[in-house]
Amino acid sequence: MTDATARKRGRPRRTESADTRDLILNAAREEFSERGYEKTSVRAIAKAAGVDSALVHHYFGTKEQVFAAAVEVAFAPALKIRDAVLEGPLDDVGERMTRMIFGLWENPVTRTPLLAIIRSAVNNDTAAAVFRRLISTQLLRRIAGEIDAPDAELRAELAAAQLVGIAMLRYVIKVEPIASADPEEIIARVAPVVQGHLTHSVNP
């Protein structure tokens, strides 16, 4: 089938589909960031993207599915870096993991969608479930798989909790002095704790 035939039948070309999908995703991230999950509607996302609501449903389905796609895109840089972090020796995985997370938060390009996701997850159970599912399947289980310990999943979750908690205080709630502290100072203090969660033996 030619492009001309496809257009006559109302089917978007592949490039047009990709562009429209990206346009909707960008609008969704902005809406979730400004309004949160509960106050964001498919209609509002469509309006911000300059498309019909039917197109949002066509590409993504429900609002929950749009949010899930936005979360996945926002965490794509972390998932790409993840394997590089885990390739090195476990003796310093805590520092590599800490630097990875802070690198994402310190970069304005990746920080904005992360803020949208965190704010939505904190205020809405559905958004929290989507966020939790992605983190568990794409990040924590992968990290736990590299740890040779019977409580590997707990270790990975404790390490993540350490980093998420600090990120909340620094970037979301903006508590001083942690909000304005030098990132290198925070990494130097936090990385050994993350390392301890991941690999250090636990005394009975």
Side-chain angles (χ1 to χ4, degrees), residues 115-129:
L115 283 171
I117 291 164
I118 294 294
R119 286 168 178 161
S120 294
V122 167
N123 294 316
N124 181 269
D125 289 341
T126 301

Side-chain angles (χ1 to χ4, degrees), residues 85 92-102 139-140 143 156 159-160 163 194 198:
V85 168
D92 57 1
V93 67
E95 180 173 352
R96 297 198 306 274
M97 185 175 175
T98 303
R99 285 192 177 279
M100 177 194 77
I101 297 299
F102 276 93
L139 191 61
L140 296 182
I143 294 170
L163 295 170
V194 174
L198 293 173

Side-chain angles (χ1 to χ4, degrees), residues 102-115 171:
F102 276 93
L104 294 173
W105 279 104
E106 287 294 317
N107 184 342
V109 174
T110 48
R111 180 171 63 241
T112 299
L114 285 175
L115 283 171
Y171 303 102

Side-chain angles (χ1 to χ4, degrees), residues 114-170:
L114 285 175
L115 283 171
I117 291 164
I118 294 294
R119 286 168 178 161
S120 294
V122 167
N123 294 316
N124 181 269
D125 289 341
T126 301
V130 172
F131 180 59
R132 182 168 58 249
R133 185 165 61 246
L134 179 70
I135 291 295
S136 296
T137 58
Q138 298 294 332
L139 191 61
L140 296 182
R141 288 181 187 172
R142 177 71 175 83
I143 294 170
E146 299 296 317
I147 302 171
D148 184 17
D151 58 348
E153 289 191 11
L154 176 60
R155 287 173 177 269
E157 289 175 3
L158 287 171
Q162 188 82 39
L163 295 170
V164 170
I166 293 171
M168 286 287 293
L169 289 176
R170 178 175 172 84

